[in-house]
Amino acid sequence: MRLRVAFYFKMATKEQFLSEHNRLSPLNLQVTIALLSRFRIDKASLFKNDDWPIDKLRRPFISWLTSLPSGEKEKIKKEKI
C-alpha cells in the first residue's frame, strides 16, 4: 500500500497570520501588524498576492524577525500603520 502525502498551504489574511503566529510563539517572538507589514516590504518576492500562507511564510518570517537588531524590532513594533 502506498501512502500519498499532500502538502496544503493554509491561506490566511495578514490578521489571521498574526493571530496564529502569536499563538504559536513565545513572548519574545510576539509581533504586531507593523512588523508583518515591514516583513512584506522587505521580502516582497515571497508574496504573489495578498495571501499569507502560514506554512510557507512562518519560517522565513521568524528568520527575518530574529535577524533584526532588537532596537529596530521595538521601533517597528510601535509604528502606526
Side-chain angles (χ1 to χ4, degrees), residues 26-79:
L27 287 177
N28 66 322
L29 293 178
Q30 299 285 304
V31 298
T32 63
I33 287 287
L35 275 163
L36 292 181
S37 296
R38 176 65 68 85
F39 171 70
R40 171 111 191 217
I41 292 166
D42 289 356
K43 300 294 184 180
S45 64
L46 295 175
F47 294 86
K48 293 183 180 177
N49 51 37
D50 287 336
D51 291 330
W52 285 74
I54 294 164
D55 295 341
K56 178 183 174 191
L57 295 177
R58 190 155 185 266
R59 180 173 275 154
F61 176 66
I62 291 171
S63 179
W64 172 86
L65 182 64
T66 57
S67 70
L68 286 176
S70 63
E72 182 70 10
K73 180 179 168 183
E74 292 307 315
K75 179 182 167 191
I76 297 168
K77 266 181 140 177
K78 295 175 184 174
E79 288 178 0

Side-chain angles (χ1 to χ4, degrees), residues 2-19:
R2 285 176 79 169
L3 294 177
R4 285 185 154 193
V5 179
F7 295 97
Y8 296 99
F9 293 102
K10 181 180 176 187
M11 295 302 169
T13 64
K14 187 190 303 186
E15 291 78 11
Q16 290 167 327
F17 182 94
L18 173 74
S19 177

Side-chain angles (χ1 to χ4, degrees), residues 18-29:
L18 173 74
S19 177
E20 185 69 4
H21 170 77
N22 284 342
R23 184 183 71 78
L24 296 170
S25 298
L27 287 177
N28 66 322
L29 293 178

